[in-house]
Amino acid sequence: MPDGPDASFTARFARRLDEVTGALENLARVLDHEEDLDTILDRLCRQAVHAVPGADMASVTLLSDAGPRTAATTVARAGEIDEAQYRAGEGPCLEAARSGQVERVSVAEARSRWPGFAAAVAGVAGYLSAPLFVDEECHGSLNLYGTRHHGFRELDAALLELYTTAAEAALRNARRFFESRRRAEQLREALASRAVIEQAKGIIMGARRVSADEAFALLVARSQRDNVKVRDLAQRFVTEVTAAEARDGGKGW
């Protein structure tokens, strides 16, 4: 096994890569059980702090037509740093979100590049923001803030970029899965609604000797009069008729 600086760097890199892998595995477990986006982004922040040891706090900035907002933080202080950038209209989180490039900036560089923002923030020694793009509704940046004097190193930036790239893919797949499941549930409910409405129409047609259109018109009129959805009215009607038939051979409507 090689000795010296190269060996030390290799060991450190391997250890940090393991931390990124562990963070992604933990995030994947959350995606298996959680659908709420803000909850998922909250876990994304917390795992990023573990993945990049130089980070003391993290946040997620999301962009929309209404302006930027902080969707998740590990501590309230991270959200305050985000807000200072939003008020100034400049800063690493906005730059990363808009440019699609990782921003690794020391406090001195921040003062030079974004004086309006940097003047409002104290106690931060380094900024590291990576673009985060899942889809048109979820895009912005994952932001890390450090208080240690050395700030963030190139290795930290590489690890964060690796983490966000993998996290984007996982989030994208999860969002597609949840959307497909939601649509399947909506279709199932629509089919169930149609089935019970058709059943109610059939009962009315037989009892009133009317056409399918006339039976449906009767259902609609009754739903408007009772201020009940047609599907709910049909379900209630079918249940009542079925119960009546079981009890005494049926009754009219």
Side-chain angles (χ1 to χ4, degrees), residues 6 31 41 83 157 179 219:
D6 289 343
L31 293 174
L41 294 178
E83 289 294 334
E179 179 63 19
L219 276 173

Side-chain angles (χ1 to χ4, degrees), residues 90-103:
E90 60 183 15
C93 75
L94 296 177
E95 190 71 23
R98 293 165 178 167
S99 70
Q101 303 294 320
V102 174
E103 291 290 333

